[in-house]
Amino acid sequence: MKQKGELLLSASSLFLEKSEDMVKENPFIQIRRELHLIPEIGLEEYKTHDYLMSKIKELPQEHLEIKTWETAIVVRVKGSIGQRIIGWRTDIDGLPVVEETELPFQSTHEGRMHACGHDMHMSIALGLLTYFSSHQTIDDLVFIFQPAEENVSGAKIIYDSGFLNDYMPDEIYALHVKPDLPVGTLGTKVGTLFAGTCAIDVEFRGVGGHAAYPHESNDMIVAASQFINQIQTIVSRSVNPMEGAVITLGTMHAGTAGNIISGYASLTGTIRTLTSEMSKLTQQRVKDIVKGIELSYNCKIYLDLDQAGYYPVINSEIETMAFIDYMTKKQGVVYKEMGTEMTGEDFGYYLDKIPGTMFWLGVDSPYGLHHPKMTPKEEAIPFAIEHVGDFLEKRANRQL
């Protein structure tokens, strides 16, 4: 009987052998691994930007126009007529996560990891771009390599900056890996796929003092506690029960010692809603509660509500139904109708202005998004390049 160490060594050898075979069959798997080595936080994706540019410059340049801004890259593939522009967006940033996968291509950047699959997204985008660089379509295709999806809404930054003005898509598409779907599966829905998010940051300022003389102080721990209790009534009493909203306060900081009344407290959290209207309602109710707490506890509260570009991801009907109809009939694809989830994505900022759709790509990982052991199956890369490429080609050739 083999010892445990021998079994582990054997399993590792099989993994490496299988991995080498996959890389030989599809170079974009190797690209994914090279990108996985160098994850970077949003707006700091300098190595990632340089790597992407090196690969883009290797392509046939006859039909390409390349534009850069900070770490963002836009590549336009000129069509034969080019009256419309079909957009494809991929995010390029990583997360502040310490990787625990123990893969041979584990992150070399300490405390950074592609734990949300953006390395997969980039390799798929490069695969699509590689194909279209030598297969001209009727309409233009624009590939947007976007920074800072995870932290400061790169979508809003580059859109509002005017960076896309000369390359503005008439319709736009994107995917996101989904660990709990098998490889070979694509899924989406018409309407809201992901929630919009809004960050909450609150500071309470009163008067601190000795625990023995509460009447001479103004206790901000009590004020913050009342705020915490009251804010939870927004969902239960201000939101239509047939609609969705979540309010979570994730951090609280106050006080320095058990016998000192704290004159300061701070809270941070998030609001997640399925429509922009519901986001406005919940934000207004938070503001109302703040005013009430200020009057009740004779304190000053500084409230910051920041939605940035994390609007709800609302898939437009025409473009999404074209995608669904195509994928449900396509051989080799398992299509699944998806529900709405409370995760956030700044792709919603594009969809607020441009019709299009976002969809899930199954990658069959035992660990979920943002987990330090998230390990998507790389077979999803050639699958996505083939089938998503077919869809984009049909759209850009006006066959769908």
Side-chain angles (χ1 to χ4, degrees):
M1 180 181 292
K2 290 186 177 180
Q3 297 298 312
K4 182 179 179 182
E6 292 176 302
L7 288 170
L8 289 173
L9 183 61
S10 176
S12 177
S13 298
L14 286 171
F15 170 81
L16 290 172
E17 184 178 337
K18 181 182 178 184
S19 296
E20 289 172 3
D21 289 342
M22 285 198 300
V23 168
K24 289 176 183 176
E25 292 174 8
N26 193 290
F28 299 101
I29 291 175
Q30 179 62 31
I31 286 174
R32 179 258 165 166
R33 296 180 182 186
E34 291 170 357
L35 286 165
H36 192 83
L37 290 165
I38 54 169
E40 296 167 295
I41 299 301
L43 300 183
E44 299 175 5
E45 310 98 330
Y46 304 112
K47 289 184 179 179
T48 304
H49 174 274
D50 291 347
Y51 180 91
L52 292 170
M53 285 297 294
S54 71
K55 295 299 179 183
I56 292 167
K57 288 178 179 178
E58 291 175 0
L59 302 176
Q61 300 293 303
E62 181 182 359
H63 303 301
L64 302 189
E65 291 179 1
I66 303 168
K67 183 180 179 181
T68 64
W69 179 81
E70 300 293 337
T71 55
I73 305 168
V74 168
V75 183
R76 181 177 193 159
V77 186
K78 290 174 285 186
S80 58
I81 298 177
Q83 293 177 336
R84 288 194 314 156
I85 299 176
I86 311 298
W88 180 264
R89 175 274 209 167
T90 184
D91 32 22
I92 70 172
D93 55 326
L95 285 162
V97 172
V98 178
E99 184 165 351
E100 298 176 6
T101 62
E102 298 184 359
L103 291 167
F105 48 90
Q106 181 164 302
S107 169
T108 58
H109 291 177
E110 185 176 355
R112 303 286 186 264
M113 179 186 173
H114 273 301
C116 203
H118 296 184
D119 52 340
M120 299 280 285
H121 298 176
M122 287 184 280
S123 61
I124 291 166
L126 284 173
L128 294 170
L129 177 56
T130 298
Y131 176 79
F132 288 112
S133 69
S134 58
H135 293 77
Q136 190 179 34
T137 54
I138 293 173
D139 289 317
D140 293 357
L141 286 156
V142 163
F143 291 84
I144 304 166
F145 294 86
Q146 178 212 297
E149 185 277 324
E150 295 286 357
N151 58 348
V152 291
S153 182
K156 184 179 188 326
I157 291 170
I158 67 171
Y159 187 97
D160 290 356
S161 71
F163 176 62
L164 297 177
N165 284 358
D166 295 333
Y167 302 86
M168 191 62 68
D170 295 290
E171 56 190 68
I172 191 166
Y173 301 89
L175 62 77
H176 202 295
V177 298
K178 189 162 179 60
D180 58 351
L181 284 181
V183 173
T185 305
L186 298 173
T188 192
K189 69 185 295 291
V190 174
T192 304
L193 185 66
F194 298 154
T197 70
C198 177
I200 307 172
D201 195 323
V202 198
E203 290 187 3
F204 299 78
R205 296 187 180 273
V207 179
H210 197 292
Y213 307 105
H215 57 291
E216 297 177 357
S217 304
N218 195 0
D219 194 337
M220 290 302 95
I221 290 180
V222 173
S225 298
Q226 288 299 312
F227 176 80
I228 292 168
N229 287 331
Q230 290 186 35
I231 203 174
Q232 294 306 320
T233 67
I234 295 174
V235 173
S236 64
R237 289 295 176 267
S238 297
V239 172
N240 184 331
M242 303 306 293
E243 299 184 39
V246 171
I247 301 177
T248 296
L249 294 172
T251 71
M252 178 176 181
H253 300 281
T256 57
N259 62 349
I260 300 175
I261 291 173
S262 179
Y264 174 85
S266 67
L267 303 168
T268 62
T270 181
I271 298 170
R272 293 171 184 256
T273 60
L274 301 182
T275 65
S276 295
E277 292 73 23
M278 185 56 66
S279 180
K280 292 174 184 176
L281 170 66
T282 53
Q283 289 183 52
Q284 185 57 53
R285 291 294 296 120
V286 171
K287 294 174 185 177
D288 295 341
I289 289 171
V290 161
K291 290 178 182 178
I293 297 292
E294 283 184 321
L295 288 172
S296 298
Y297 291 89
N298 191 28
C299 64
K300 182 63 179 174
I301 302 176
Y302 299 89
L303 172 67
D304 182 32
L305 296 170
D306 185 12
Q307 186 165 14
Y310 297 96
Y311 290 15
V313 174
I314 303 176
N315 290 334
S316 57
E317 183 172 3
I318 293 173
E319 290 72 20
T320 305
M321 285 308 303
F323 178 84
I324 292 171
D325 288 345
Y326 184 72
M327 292 304 175
T328 52
K329 299 170 185 174
K330 195 169 194 310
Q331 189 173 1
V333 174
V334 175
Y335 175 76
K336 183 175 181 180
E337 183 77 9
M338 304 303 295
T340 303
E341 301 202 18
M342 284 295 180
T343 49
E345 236 287 355
D346 72 356
F347 190 68
Y349 197 76
Y350 297 109
L351 291 179
D352 185 62
K353 298 155 178 41
I354 307 166
T357 193
M358 175 169 251
F359 54 93
W360 289 112
L361 169 69
V363 294
D364 195 17
S365 168
Y367 300 97
L369 298 174
H370 295 207
H371 193 283
K373 293 184 179 180
M374 209 274 279
T375 49
K377 286 189 176 177
E378 295 173 319
E379 296 93 321
I381 294 172
F383 168 83
I385 293 170
E386 176 185 352
H387 296 290
V388 175
D390 288 347
F391 170 76
L392 292 177
E393 189 168 32
K394 292 285 193 300
R395 290 297 287 182
N397 282 324
R398 307 177 187 179
Q399 296 171 345
L400 282 178

